[in-house]
Amino acid sequence: MITRITIQGLVQGVGFRPFIYLLAKKMGIKGTVANRNNGVIIHAALSDEKTNLFIKRILEEHPPVAFIHHIDIEKIEWKIDYSNFEIIKSRSESDEVTQVAPDIAVCPDCLRDRERQKHRLSYPFINCTHCGPRFSIIKDLPYDRANTTMETFGMCPDCGKEYMDIYDRRFHAQPIACNQCGPVYYAVYGNIEYRDYSEILSLTAQLLNKGKVIAAKGIGGYHLICDATNEYAVNSLRRIKHRDTKPFAVMFQNKERAKEYIYMNKAEEDCLTSWRRPIVLLKQRKRPASGVNSSMNTLGCMLPYMPIHYDWFEQIDTPALVMTSGNLSDLPIAVTPEEAERQFGGKVDLILHHNRDIHNRVDDSVIHVCGGQPCLIRRSRGFVPEPFFADTDVEGLLAFGAEKVNTFALGKADTVIQSQYIGDLKNWETLAFYTESLERFQHLFRFVPKQLVCDLHPDYMSSREAEKMALQHNLPLLKIQHHHAHAAACMLEYGLDEPVVAVIWDGTGLGDDNKAWGGEFLLCDRKGYIRLSHLEYAPMPGGDKASEEPWRMAVSYLHHFGLAIPRTLIERIGKAKVDTLITMIDKGINTPYTSGAGRLFDAFASLLGLCDLSTRQAEAPALLEQTATDNFSDRYPIDLSTDPVTTQSLFEGVLNDLRKDISIGLIAAKIHNTLAYLILGKSKQFLKNADATKVVISGGCFQNKRLTEQLQSLFSREGIPLYVPSKIPCNDSGIAVGQITIAAKQREEMKISRNNEN
Ligand code: ZN
Ligand code: ZN
Ligand code: FE
């Protein structure tokens, strides 16, 4: 009898097989271990007692990045006498897949090896079994070198020896490389081609020191880089990127240097220093150059994660580099030398390439911490394609997501695999990235779609792609209401499969009454929802234009509630424009109605004189949030007895305070406090009347850290369980996961009812 142990989870590309091998040797176990596309499979001659001990040690001692989801043990009737323990060759077995590791920041051991290993002295693409590129280079499963973009690099004898040596840190490290055989950087500067790393390093460091802007190929794409403390350099970068005000992310030499510029608590420091190396949004202590994040007092920070990042900081004078995605305004991040040359050629001072191809484009991820809980805002490098466990069958479901900050997701067995951050699907380059990634995910995860899911909104590019595929392949297409999908994503994350009260506040999403929703109170489970209440509809004069010009919403709400428009607002905008807008509202010209909470924040930001014209998404609410003082108790009166909820008294209160010259900071705080109180109050009402005990919040408005943290503390004081999206973004990046969750539940119920009929 032979024992077969199948381990599923994140067990490939993270040093799992060598770990098993060494453990088996230590324990005197004889048998084999192999990667299969459904996990790692071990065959050994074992007693039950020994099996248990073996499993216990696997669970306790596995490599840090590895994650075990499921272990299967079975006895099989094989008559084999194993003479030792061996790692055997990978074999593609079935359509089941195992997890693919996300890209991992270079580890401390590798950084040390760069100083002492003869063939890797200063080598910039060093990696080992525990670190290096993974998702960005993988083309197929199983995770073997031949299935990655490293296939074109033949291993030198030194690397080959290490690769085969079970006792080496690079045993079976698929991207293994060194100065003799691995990828190299190259650049052309002043008609001279550079290939020597130390020359490239000193040249690029000199340029950065002089305030120049360079583009450099990284793990998941190109970055645009300059000295973050040099105003001139930062402004040139802004011009190159055609980006007026959107804050740039900054890479600091180390956490100590970062602390000169930002404040962080333990949870935030853990995020910043984790092997995933995301951009962490932190409270600013000191501004680098003002052009980095102009009027914001948060700063997106990250730490070095490639060897060259560490090397730059050794050679440059500044502790902080702007490190922003290498793309022009809203295009996808460049990944090939051709794309980089086309976008930045003649604009930046130097483009640094390397010859390890990026197969899967991945932007830097963005995260912030709310009430001690990390909450992802952009889920990409370092996280993707780690799956979510659905506790239900999601096989064959393909969800197309929403329109802005899009991701898609697919269902494999009981796991949901979410794509990397794609972006806004409005330009064809991003759409091309979307369709390309869709194809690559289907191939990589051996995915055959059986049912498609998209948003209710017919004009989203993602919905159109879904329609197209449904037609082409004759597949059923399910359309899911946007805010229900927001709620369901959070329910999946926390394994909730029961009715909950969901407060979904965002900019906009199409409702089942064909109106723009976005200030929603739902009673929902994974299958369906009832709209309990919502924020009162308000006119949105000019449609989408109103979300770019917050003053329109200020005028709109005030006019809607029959309140006088403050003189200061009229003066800033101009009487003629305000009058025209009012005529538009009265005559219903190009004026849809919305219950979107995002528009409410816009209106207040304009009313307080913080932002009349928005230059980027969610600028107005972000300014309103950061203006609010630390007063968490004062608020405006609000009537909780009506459905829909009217915010008229809130506007009256703000106008009153403005007349009394109350500070803008206090007014902003009172607005937040009132909205938090409103959410709590309504939730309590609904919990009392409904068969639910839990509250879920989601939607882009909860990227507002102040609001979210205030809700966390209010709800915990009341003893009401509040679920805040953490691993799945609360913005529209999370929609695809919610779509799958709902489709899976509906499919399951349909199967049950069909079985009952038979
Ligand atoms: Zn390493
Ligand atoms: Zn080598
Ligand atoms: Fe949304």
Side-chain angles (χ1 to χ4, degrees):
M1 290 283 267
I2 295 293
T3 305
R4 172 186 285 166
I5 304 171
T6 313
I7 304 177
Q8 279 173 292
L10 180 46
V11 291
Q12 289 189 8
V14 292
F16 202 80
R17 279 177 304 171
F19 155 72
I20 293 290
Y21 176 90
L22 294 174
L23 184 60
K25 286 266 169 182
K26 258 186 257 171
M27 296 180 65
I29 294 169
K30 289 171 179 169
T32 62
V33 59
N35 269 353
R36 289 290 165 82
N37 48 29
N38 62 349
V40 160
I41 192 160
I42 301 164
H43 289 109
L46 285 173
S47 67
D48 286 353
E49 202 185 326
K50 195 111 186 213
T51 307
N52 291 339
L53 189 63
F54 191 36
I55 300 289
K56 185 167 173 279
R57 291 194 65 178
I58 291 173
L59 288 171
E60 283 170 0
E61 299 170 24
H62 67 72
V65 177
F67 169 75
I68 296 170
H69 174 58
H70 185 77
I71 299 185
D72 222 32
I73 304 164
E74 55 187 319
K75 294 270 179 206
I76 43 174
E77 300 278 343
W78 281 2
K79 291 196 173 51
I80 308 180
D81 262 339
Y82 292 114
S83 55
N84 54 9
F85 198 87
E86 268 181 289
I87 295 183
I88 55 176
K89 215 176 151 43
S90 299
R91 189 149 50 98
S92 263
E93 271 281 293
S94 64
D95 284 346
E96 275 185 75
V97 287
T98 188
Q99 287 192 28
V100 174
D103 301 297
I104 309 162
V106 63
C107 76
D109 287 336
C110 280
L111 290 174
R112 271 191 296 274
D113 281 348
R114 300 180 75 219
E115 291 165 11
R116 61 190 179 196
Q117 282 192 339
K118 220 171 67 234
H119 54 308
R120 289 202 186 84
L121 289 176
S122 303
Y123 183 54
F125 295 96
I126 194 165
N127 61 78
C128 71
T129 319
H130 300 286
C131 80
R134 296 288 188 274
F135 171 65
S136 58
I137 60 167
I138 195 166
K139 296 197 279 191
D140 202 357
L141 285 171
Y143 174 64
D144 273 338
R145 191 179 178 96
N147 286 331
T148 72
T149 60
M150 283 300 292
E151 66 170 332
T152 51
F153 298 92
M155 266 182 235
C156 73
D158 287 336
C159 285
K161 224 167 76 200
E162 293 163 338
Y163 182 87
M164 298 305 289
D165 177 3
I166 185 73
Y167 296 100
D168 194 277
R169 291 204 317 108
R170 293 185 179 78
F171 174 71
H172 282 213
Q174 307 304 341
I176 189 174
C178 75
N179 272 317
Q180 302 155 29
C181 67
V184 291
Y185 280 108
Y186 62 94
V188 175
Y189 186 71
N191 289 330
I192 302 169
E193 193 182 331
Y194 291 82
R195 279 186 170 265
D196 178 82
Y197 182 61
S198 69
E199 280 177 30
I200 284 177
L201 201 57
S202 56
L203 174 64
T204 46
Q206 266 172 40
L207 290 172
L208 291 170
N209 275 339
K210 281 191 208 149
K212 306 287 185 192
V213 177
I214 65 168
K217 188 173 174 183
I219 297 271
Y222 282 75
H223 276 125
L224 291 169
I225 306 166
C226 75
D227 179 355
T229 63
N230 182 326
E231 203 70 62
Y232 167 83
V234 173
N235 289 334
S236 332
L237 178 42
R238 256 188 208 288
R239 272 195 304 278
I240 292 165
K241 218 174 143 140
H242 304 308
R243 185 189 260 192
D244 295 334
T245 63
K246 198 169 168 188
F248 288 139
V250 171
M251 180 178 279
F252 287 99
Q253 180 167 18
N254 50 44
K255 68 176 187 212
E256 285 73 28
R257 296 311 299 267
K259 281 177 183 166
E260 296 168 19
Y261 292 84
I262 48 90
Y263 301 93
M264 62 180 159
N265 58 31
K266 177 74 174 57
E268 290 167 331
E269 189 173 320
D270 288 347
C271 284
L272 189 71
T273 55
S274 99
W275 57 265
R276 303 179 192 270
R277 284 294 200 275
I279 295 167
V280 188
L281 298 182
L282 295 165
K283 193 166 181 323
Q284 183 168 262
R285 185 192 293 264
K286 179 172 106 187
R287 204 178 291 285
S290 71
V292 169
N293 55 347
S294 55
S295 50
M296 298 306 297
N297 48 25
T298 51
L299 189 61
C301 305
M302 62 180 152
L303 294 181
Y305 58 85
M306 288 180 83
I308 195 168
H309 302 154
Y310 288 92
D311 291 338
W312 274 328
F313 285 113
E314 289 296 312
Q315 299 212 4
I316 56 180
D317 307 327
T318 174
L321 288 173
V322 165
M323 187 81 67
T324 184
S325 307
N327 54 1
L328 300 184
S329 45
D330 290 331
L331 300 188
I333 184 170
V335 289
T336 63
E338 295 72 31
E339 279 173 359
E341 295 287 349
R342 199 166 57 233
Q343 291 193 44
F344 316 123
K347 292 180 183 152
V348 298
D349 291 279
L350 178 142
I351 307 180
L352 179 58
H353 305 290
H354 62 66
N355 59 353
R356 185 177 67 202
D357 285 348
I358 297 168
H359 186 70
N360 300 303
R361 215 185 280 265
V362 262
D363 284 87
D364 293 318
S365 295
V366 181
I367 201 166
H368 68 171
V369 174
C370 294
Q373 187 179 29
C375 296
L376 272 164
I377 290 172
R378 186 206 282 161
R379 187 176 185 272
S380 228
R381 180 185 51 74
F383 293 89
V384 173
E386 221 173 85
F388 300 108
F389 293 97
D391 301 317
T392 182
D393 173 31
V394 290
E395 180 69 44
L397 297 171
L398 177 58
F400 286 70
E403 174 91 338
K404 290 208 161 105
V405 297
N406 174 285
T407 70
F408 60 86
L410 51 85
K412 277 301 285 187
D414 62 346
T415 64
V416 178
I417 303 169
Q418 187 186 12
S419 77
Q420 71 269 53
Y421 168 86
I422 308 275
D424 296 351
L425 300 182
K426 61 176 182 266
N427 58 57
W428 78 260
E429 289 89 346
T430 311
L431 192 63
F433 172 28
Y434 179 78
T435 48
E436 171 196 273
S437 299
L438 254 175
E439 271 167 37
R440 290 188 176 175
F441 265 68
Q442 292 184 63
H443 173 77
L444 178 61
F445 295 107
R446 293 171 166 72
F447 177 81
V448 182
K450 289 187 203 132
Q451 186 185 340
L452 312 182
V453 206
C454 72
D455 195 276
L456 209 53
H457 203 306
D459 297 332
Y460 283 178
M461 287 311 294
S462 54
S463 303
R464 291 192 191 166
E465 287 298 313
E467 297 268 8
K468 214 160 76 185
M469 191 190 273
L471 219 60
Q472 270 169 5
H473 300 277
N474 194 23
L475 288 166
L477 172 61
L478 183 67
K479 296 180 182 180
I480 301 288
Q481 201 281 321
H482 188 89
H483 302 93
H484 186 207
H486 270 304
C490 186
M491 294 174 76
L492 177 113
E493 175 172 355
Y494 290 101
L496 302 175
D497 192 4
E498 62 187 75
V500 298
V501 168
V503 184
I504 313 296
W505 283 18
D506 65 0
T508 182
L510 187 62
D512 54 28
D513 58 358
N514 242 329
K515 286 193 175 132
W517 290 10
E520 308 308 307
F521 296 88
L522 310 176
L523 175 67
C524 66
D525 56 18
R526 290 189 180 190
K527 194 179 65 181
Y529 66 92
I530 299 165
R531 193 185 194 198
L532 295 168
S533 186
H534 56 90
L535 295 174
E536 183 180 348
Y537 285 113
M540 210 169 121
D544 283 346
K545 200 89 189 146
S547 40
E548 289 156 28
E549 300 186 355
W551 72 270
R552 287 175 184 247
M553 288 316 294
V555 171
S556 162
Y557 275 104
L558 294 176
H559 181 65
H560 178 68
F561 291 133
L563 299 169
I565 295 155
R567 206 176 25 119
T568 46
L569 180 61
I570 298 177
E571 277 166 8
R572 287 200 311 270
I573 306 301
K575 186 159 186 327
K577 276 174 89 176
V578 172
D579 287 345
T580 313
L581 196 82
I582 289 174
T583 310
M584 274 176 76
I585 298 170
D586 287 344
K587 295 198 169 156
I589 303 163
N590 190 18
T591 298
Y593 275 69
T594 179
S595 61
R599 299 294 81 79
L600 201 60
F601 286 90
D602 285 353
F604 288 125
S606 168
L607 206 49
L608 299 194
L610 296 168
C611 182
D612 291 326
L613 298 173
S614 167
T615 55
R616 59 171 191 273
Q617 235 207 311
E619 181 181 11
L623 289 170
L624 188 70
E625 176 187 354
Q626 72 167 27
T627 303
T629 61
D630 282 342
N631 177 320
F632 291 95
S633 52
D634 291 353
R635 56 182 160 82
Y636 298 111
I638 189 130
D639 183 1
L640 296 182
S641 68
T642 66
D643 290 306
V645 180
T646 176
T647 48
Q648 177 163 348
S649 59
L650 193 44
F651 280 92
E652 286 166 352
V654 172
L655 288 180
N656 260 333
D657 277 357
L658 282 172
R659 273 193 293 272
K660 282 191 273 180
D661 267 337
I662 304 282
S663 83
I664 300 293
L666 180 57
I667 299 177
K670 285 169 81 175
I671 292 169
H672 279 84
N673 298 345
T674 314
L675 294 175
Y677 172 79
L678 160 68
I679 290 174
L680 174 70
K682 291 306 279 186
S683 300
K684 277 164 70 178
Q685 257 175 39
F686 297 134
L687 287 175
K688 211 159 100 193
N689 300 328
D691 195 14
T693 55
K694 293 167 179 159
V695 177
V696 161
I697 57 170
S698 190
C701 290
F702 297 105
Q703 287 174 139
N704 184 322
K705 182 176 149 93
R706 189 191 195 276
L707 181 64
T708 300
E709 290 189 332
Q710 193 168 6
L711 289 170
Q712 285 169 322
S713 78
L714 281 175
F715 276 74
S716 101
R717 222 178 299 157
E718 298 271 346
I720 305 168
L722 177 74
Y723 293 84
V724 178
S726 166
K727 294 176 178 159
I728 303 168
C730 68
N731 58 43
D732 283 3
S733 281
I735 288 289
V737 178
Q739 290 172 343
I740 287 207
T741 310
I742 297 165
K745 194 67 187 179
Q746 294 192 356
R747 188 172 67 176
E748 188 186 301
E749 303 263 322
M750 236 150 66
K751 266 186 208 153
I752 293 170
S753 71
R754 225 179 289 140
N755 287 345
N756 288 346
E757 276 165 32
N758 293 341

